[in-house]
Amino acid sequence: MTSVGLLEFARGPALWFSLGVLIAGSLWRVFAIWRLGARVDLSEPRSTHLAAGALRGIFARMLIRKDFRNSRNLGSFNAYLYHIGLAFIVFGYLPHIRFVERLTGIAWPALPGWLMYVAVGPTVVGLLIALLERLSDPVRRLLSGFDDYFSWLVTFLPLLTGMAAVNQSPALESAAPLYPLPVAIHLLSVELMFLWLPFGKLGHAFLVFFSRGITGAALQRKGAAI
Amino acid sequence: MLEARKAPDAAKAAAEFVAQAGRDVAFQLEACVHCGQCAEACHFHLVTREPHHTPVYKLRPMLKAYRRSRAPFAGIQRLLGLAPREPGAAELTAWSELLYDSCNLCGRCTLVCPMGIDIAGLVRRAREGMAAAGFAPEDLYKASGHALDTGSPIGVRWPALRRQIELQEKETGLRIPVDVEGADYLVILSSIEVIAFPEVIGALARIFRQADVSWTIPSAGFEATNIGVQIGSRDIAAALLERVVDAAERLKVKYVISPECGHAYSALRWEGPNLLGRPLPFKVVQITELLDQLVREGRLRLRGKDARRLAFHDPCQLVRRGGLTEEPGRLMDAVSENTVRTPAQGAANFCCGGGGGVSAIHRAERLRFAAFELKKRQVEQAGAEALVTACANCRNVLEEAIDERGMTLPVLGLTELVAQYLEPEAAKS
Ligand code: SF4
Ligand code: SF4
């Protein structure tokens, strides 16, 4: 297959297939859990503002509680680093916005190009630190399995291939980029991530709202700290 | 259920783990990102630095059973041979130490988890599987047997309580109402209070006398603690709760006072109606809540304050898990002029180490004494001269650990402290 052919594959069937798996898999994961049902809590609530509790749970846990901030959770500061870095790159980089626009018609203002270059470095370093910590910290090593390492890989690959494709990016708008191969590989790596996301721990991208919301509401019900 | 321990059955445990995984549990089991932050919140991990004391790791057998049978992609995974194997008997026996000895159900891990996973709540659920299948600690099965037979996990029966009541009547010169039909408040007690801290009965008598509260103690159904909740058996828990409900209904009270015991409060106030499958026919009020209310309403008149540097030890099930976040602090201010704060006091306080049934597990003693190290450091950092708490189990566990360290640090009960500073004339009247 020529590189143009590969790009066409990556932009065509591979993209639609991976997006289909991403959406259907994620919806199924949520639906399959949702249908398990929940029992009505019969205890008398101290507060009935459960939606507010759920929202507080969702937002409050974005920050580490004051009592738990110490040098030992450096890893969680690193997590801020690569999450924010990834968000900048995924949603703020002009070619990505154009790509989404081409698919959905939805667009938003891009972040300045220089910010992207600044964001890539710390994000890459952050992800590498995350991997090293997972391998070296006894707790994280114990908790980790295939899912953790594979999820790391499918997150890191798009970043790596994206850096190689970065000079090709303006061409994404047109049908034939100057050097199609790096763009094709980048797209395929993103598609690999799409394919894996619903099944493994990357699902936390959507599961986080449920787990935080449920606990937030439950603690609010008791009037306890969220 | 008590028979289960004679023939532990791993398949039964797995089935119960799965049965526990409704929507809320499943979302939480699925959401973990293996960041390990919960380890840094758990006192057992902090003192041992053992990776297997990581809170979420304690859930592994439950997670495996869930992943095998109930998770969204379980069917495909089984077809492909990728589903985890069900936990076996050896694994569950090993996990008994993790799910019981090294977990107080204190919820500190829940508070730190960035995914908002209620790990403590999940451990409570996992214990249902362990207990039903015969993998809970022998001591907890024994205590459950005692509780079902005698009403109390340590075998305290009515004659023992009656004796303590009589002594307190002598001590205070006040009559302590027993089985008074139509009283407003029913006072139930934990066995530890009856045996180790009976002065609390006299304290209540003096407090209620001044505040003009109509109250009574039942001669049957007086045990507040619920070993069923701790071992993880909803059947035992419900059977024990029924006794309290029976007493309340028999005496037609409006309120049941949950005494100085954290888990008793959780068991009755939050789990109770769900275990019984119906709302309670009375309101549950924790003693700290009631005392705070009486002080604020001016029905309790206090005079003088304790001048020592007092630190409050927040019982996990009252404060972090129970939502009584303001009341203990206000009461402390009412009776202490020199309250000192220990680091992370309040919602993030460290457990005494004995909650969740751990104090009843003999083989866990060394671990809980070790966990006390953190509390000790905090107390020393705050320069406290005495600890005050609102849970007799915390008090007992703290006293034991203090003793074990050869320290001298009094541990006081908040109710007794309040009684001590009642305006004297009113108290004697
Ligand atoms: S803190 Fe929460 S997300 Fe992190 S390992 Fe523990 S349970 Fe999992
Ligand atoms: S509930 Fe408490 S004791 Fe149990 S794992 Fe969490 S922090 Fe540790």
Side-chain angles (χ1 to χ4, degrees), chain A residues 25-26 28-46 61-62 64-65 67-68 70 72-73 75-76 134 137-140 142-145 147-148 198-201 204-205 207-212 214-216 219 221-226, chain B residues 21-24 26-28 30-37 39-41 45-46 49 51-52 54 56-57 60 66-67 70 72-73 108 110-118 265 269-271 273-275 277-279 283 289 319-325 344-345 347-348:
Chain A
S26 302
W28 169 251
R29 192 159 174 192
V30 171
F31 173 72
I33 299 171
W34 193 269
R35 74 184 172 150
L36 295 175
R39 279 176 47 185
V40 181
D41 192 335
L42 298 169
S43 66
E44 193 193 336
R46 193 169 271 135
R61 296 296 171 102
M62 290 174 94
I64 304 171
R65 202 183 176 81
D67 307 297
F68 297 113
N70 59 46
R72 281 207 168 265
N73 46 37
S76 37
R134 193 162 289 290
D137 171 49
V139 166
R140 262 165 281 184
L142 181 71
L143 296 179
S144 302
D147 182 13
D148 298 272
F199 307 104
K201 69 181 265 192
H204 77 273
L207 292 170
V208 63
F209 300 104
F210 295 96
S211 60
R212 282 187 192 167
I214 288 164
T215 300
L219 292 173
R221 205 172 180 285
K222 293 179 175 180
I226 297 173
Chain B
R23 180 190 299 160
D24 291 0
F27 269 124
Q28 303 196 40
E30 295 266 342
C32 178
V33 289
H34 298 163
C35 68
Q37 282 192 53
E40 294 303 320
H45 173 75
L46 289 172
R49 284 279 154 210
H52 65 259
T54 300
V56 76
Y57 187 67
R60 187 151 283 200
Y66 163 79
R67 285 225 173 112
R70 186 161 271 192
F73 304 106
R108 203 165 187 268
T110 297
L111 204 60
V112 80
C113 174
M115 298 302 291
I117 299 168
D118 180 13
Y265 182 60
R269 174 70 174 86
W270 300 116
E271 285 210 41
N274 298 310
L275 287 162
R278 60 182 195 275
K283 277 192 178 300
E289 220 175 354
V319 181
R320 179 162 50 242
R321 305 287 288 171
L324 296 173
T325 45
Q345 186 164 349

Side-chain angles (χ1 to χ4, degrees), chain B residues 41-44 55 58 102-109 120:
Chain B
C42 179
H43 43 294
F44 292 116
K58 299 170 187 177
S102 67
C103 183
N104 299 120
L105 305 176
C106 78
R108 203 165 187 268
C109 47

Side-chain angles (χ1 to χ4, degrees), chain B residues 134-416:
Chain B
F135 293 98
E138 180 60 22
D139 289 335
L140 294 188
Y141 284 116
K142 275 193 194 145
S144 301
H146 283 313
L148 289 173
D149 290 346
T150 68
S152 146
I154 51 173
V156 175
R157 295 174 196 259
W158 168 242
L161 174 56
R162 192 182 53 212
R163 259 196 312 281
Q164 300 289 36
I165 289 176
E166 284 163 5
L167 283 173
Q168 290 304 312
E169 284 185 329
K170 258 193 215 138
E171 188 82 19
T172 59
L174 297 171
R175 199 185 64 81
I176 293 172
V178 171
D179 285 337
V180 175
E181 205 179 296
D184 288 339
Y185 290 87
L186 185 77
V187 166
I188 52 175
L189 297 157
S190 76
S191 288
I192 303 174
E193 286 177 298
V194 177
I195 297 303
F197 310 114
E199 302 79 14
V200 77
I201 302 169
L204 287 172
R206 295 172 56 214
I207 288 167
F208 292 156
R209 168 82 172 199
Q210 187 183 95
D212 197 20
V213 167
S214 128
W215 68 296
T216 188
I217 295 178
S219 60
F222 58 80
E223 176 62 52
T225 62
N226 194 314
I227 188 75
V229 166
Q230 296 178 325
I231 194 173
S233 163
R234 55 185 180 278
D235 295 342
I236 294 179
L240 298 176
L241 279 166
E242 288 286 7
R243 297 175 188 183
V244 173
V245 174
D246 284 352
E249 284 181 332
R250 176 167 53 88
L251 298 172
K252 303 185 178 68
V253 297
K254 298 190 190 91
Y255 303 89
V256 172
I257 299 176
S258 184
E260 289 202 349
C261 175
H263 281 276
Y265 182 60
S266 272
L268 185 62
R269 174 70 174 86
W270 300 116
E271 285 210 41
N274 298 310
L275 287 162
L276 295 170
R278 60 182 195 275
L280 298 173
F282 48 79
K283 277 192 178 300
V284 180
V285 52
Q286 212 278 330
I287 184 65
T288 319
E289 220 175 354
L290 179 60
L291 294 180
D292 175 55
Q293 182 197 328
L294 295 176
V295 171
R296 282 189 296 138
E297 287 173 356
R299 290 170 67 186
L300 273 188
R301 295 169 303 280
L302 301 169
R303 204 171 75 177
K305 289 186 180 188
D306 198 302
R308 285 173 291 179
R309 292 169 65 83
L310 299 182
F312 187 71
H313 163 77
D314 302 89
C316 314
Q317 301 301 320
L318 298 185
V319 181
R320 179 162 50 242
R321 305 287 288 171
L324 296 173
T325 45
E326 310 289 330
E327 293 82 349
R330 277 200 296 260
L331 280 177
M332 281 296 288
D333 288 343
V335 292
S336 157
E337 62 181 24
N338 219 348
T339 309
V340 291
R341 281 187 70 82
T342 54
Q345 186 164 349
N349 187 44
F350 279 119
C351 177
C352 63
V358 174
S359 58
I361 307 171
H362 282 106
R363 67 180 192 207
E365 199 173 77
R366 260 181 38 174
L367 188 59
R368 89 172 143 91
F369 282 155
F372 177 71
E373 178 59 28
L374 297 169
K375 179 112 294 185
K376 176 174 172 274
R377 264 184 244 158
Q378 292 190 333
V379 169
E380 285 169 354
Q381 208 172 319
E385 292 169 286
L387 274 176
V388 182
T389 192
C391 170
N393 189 49
C394 292
R395 195 172 164 190
N396 198 41
V397 165
L398 290 168
E399 281 182 352
E400 280 180 14
I402 288 165
D403 209 37
E404 199 259 349
R405 299 279 162 133
M407 295 163 64
T408 42
L409 181 74
V411 188
L412 318 168
L414 188 51
T415 305
E416 286 162 66

